[in-house]
Amino acid sequence: SLQTKDGDDDDDDDEAEVDSALGGYVVCFHNKGYDAMRMLFDVVFTSAWKKNKEEDAREMKKKLKREHLTPLESALHNSISAARHVVNTMHYMERRESRMRKTSDGINLRIRYFSYLSIVVLLGVTYVQVSYLKRYFKKKKLM
């Protein structure tokens, strides 16, 4: 089942639609088996709701005319949009970094255990070889 979270308290209806269209999704999975499962998702929401930059510019011009904004206010609006994009990207990168750190730690742990197992196997094989050679040379009366 897919649900969307409610957006923040925005005064403008267009911005509320954009916020709900660009993120805030919750996905629920139900595991009916007995084994636990871990699922990793790497989801990036971009502004796919706009066709291209020209359409974005036309919509911005219409919005500017509709609201009678001054150039300073429009520049402020653009910088706020850019700042939101940067903050969202930073949060995404933090989540991605923590997930990759967990994965890396798990792999390092497995490699360490594999190394310990390899050392034990090599010591075991060495013991078997030495004991076999001792018996062989005692049988041949060379030792």
Side-chain angles (χ1 to χ4, degrees):
S1 65
L2 183 66
Q3 302 170 349
T4 60
K5 293 181 182 176
D6 294 336
D8 295 337
D9 51 338
D10 291 331
D11 294 334
D12 192 20
D13 291 333
D14 294 335
E15 288 182 14
E17 289 176 2
V18 169
D19 288 341
S20 65
L22 289 180
Y25 293 99
V26 176
V27 180
C28 298
F29 292 98
H30 298 284
N31 185 8
K32 294 184 180 182
Y34 295 107
D35 298 331
M37 296 182 137
R38 182 173 63 167
M39 300 177 76
L40 297 176
F41 291 100
D42 194 10
V43 179
V44 177
F45 292 104
T46 60
S47 58
W49 54 277
K50 295 193 180 200
K51 300 285 186 206
N52 52 27
K53 290 185 178 184
E54 294 172 5
E55 184 179 329
D56 186 21
R58 281 192 300 246
E59 286 182 13
M60 183 59 75
K61 285 181 183 178
K62 288 178 185 177
K63 191 172 188 178
L64 291 177
K65 288 179 185 177
R66 187 180 76 210
E67 297 176 0
H68 304 290
L69 295 176
T70 63
L72 184 59
E73 288 174 325
S74 65
L76 178 64
H77 176 70
N78 289 340
S79 62
I80 288 173
S81 297
R84 282 184 184 164
H85 177 69
V86 168
V87 168
N88 289 338
T89 304
M90 287 176 57
H91 287 304
Y92 164 72
M93 290 303 219
E94 286 173 0
R95 289 190 307 267
R96 183 176 174 191
E97 179 188 2
S98 69
R99 189 186 75 232
M100 287 184 173
R101 186 180 310 119
K102 288 178 186 176
T103 303
S104 175
D105 290 344
I107 290 172
N108 288 340
L109 183 67
R110 286 186 230 154
I111 289 172
R112 187 180 330 143
Y113 287 148
F114 181 75
S115 300
Y116 294 153
L117 179 67
S118 298
I119 290 170
V120 168
V121 167
L122 289 175
L123 290 174
V125 168
T126 303
Y127 175 75
V128 169
Q129 286 179 345
V130 168
S131 62
Y132 174 77
L133 288 174
K134 272 186 174 181
R135 278 186 287 149
Y136 176 76
F137 288 129
K138 281 185 181 180
K139 272 187 180 179
K140 296 290 182 181
K141 295 183 182 179
L142 296 173
M143 191 163 134

